[in-house]
Amino acid sequence: MQALESKLRQLGYELPAPFAFPNPNRKGCVVVGRIAFVSGHGRDLPKLPGVKAKGKVGADVTVEEGYATARAVALSMLASVKLEVGSLDRIKRVIRLMGMVNVAPGFDRMPEVIDGASDFFYELFGPEAGQHARTAVGLAELPHGIPVEINGEFELHP
């Protein structure tokens, strides 16, 4: 087994099946040079404790459930990277995440929600390769009512 997938298992996770995008005009991951650009993920997430498929954080979804959902989104993102490059061990570092949170009016704790993904990558890749640039914003709506959508970039080993 690959080293990073072995570490995932030690942490109690398994990669889900990669998200199947509904239109052939896009896919989960595109590699340009040594950068893997990962599309927004947030639907068909792994069934983990606290993960919510729909709802607004601050109304239907708690911060803790949003955090758990962001962690599941991160796992889904890794499944798309693996599908494209063949092995998670090709990932050298996490570069950047763009986290979007479906929020109730007045909710402003988006960074705490997206920390679910950031903490996950930091734990999985370690402080040097897991620390990344990040944006966390709140939106009035997300596609299909999902609570969290995240996209990002990863540097690959040659």
Side-chain angles (χ1 to χ4, degrees):
M1 176 177 291
Q2 307 282 342
L4 207 54
E5 284 191 63
S6 178
K7 187 168 182 183
L8 267 177
R9 284 217 168 120
Q10 290 172 1
L11 294 171
Y13 299 103
E14 277 193 50
L15 281 182
F19 177 70
F21 283 78
N23 192 313
N25 68 0
R26 59 195 179 273
K27 62 185 191 171
C29 180
V30 172
V31 175
V32 178
R34 289 181 42 201
I35 307 297
F37 294 88
V38 181
S39 295
H41 283 64
R43 287 177 54 197
D44 298 336
L45 297 176
K47 307 293 187 244
L48 298 171
V51 173
K52 296 292 184 178
K54 293 184 182 253
K56 289 189 174 291
V57 181
D60 321 299
V61 178
T62 67
V63 171
E64 295 77 19
E65 290 167 334
Y67 180 98
T69 303
R71 184 168 286 245
V73 171
L75 265 174
S76 180
M77 292 170 72
L78 289 179
S80 289
V81 174
K82 182 180 178 185
L83 178 67
E84 185 65 23
V85 304
S87 169
L88 294 183
D89 290 340
R90 295 250 350 255
I91 300 172
K92 183 175 182 179
R93 74 164 298 132
V94 183
I95 298 171
R96 183 183 74 90
L97 299 179
M98 168 66 175
M100 296 157 276
V101 181
N102 186 356
V103 298
F107 182 84
D108 65 356
R109 295 170 59 193
M110 293 74 73
E112 293 174 54
V113 171
I114 302 304
D115 276 345
S118 292
D119 290 347
F120 174 77
F121 287 131
Y122 190 82
E123 184 177 4
L124 181 62
F125 289 97
E128 190 172 317
Q131 189 178 49
H132 51 273
R134 190 185 84 182
T135 302
V137 298
L139 301 172
E141 298 293 335
L142 284 175
H144 307 282
I146 60 174
V148 176
E149 182 171 347
I150 304 172
N151 65 41
E153 291 89 40
F154 297 81
E155 181 182 9
L156 302 174
H157 289 287

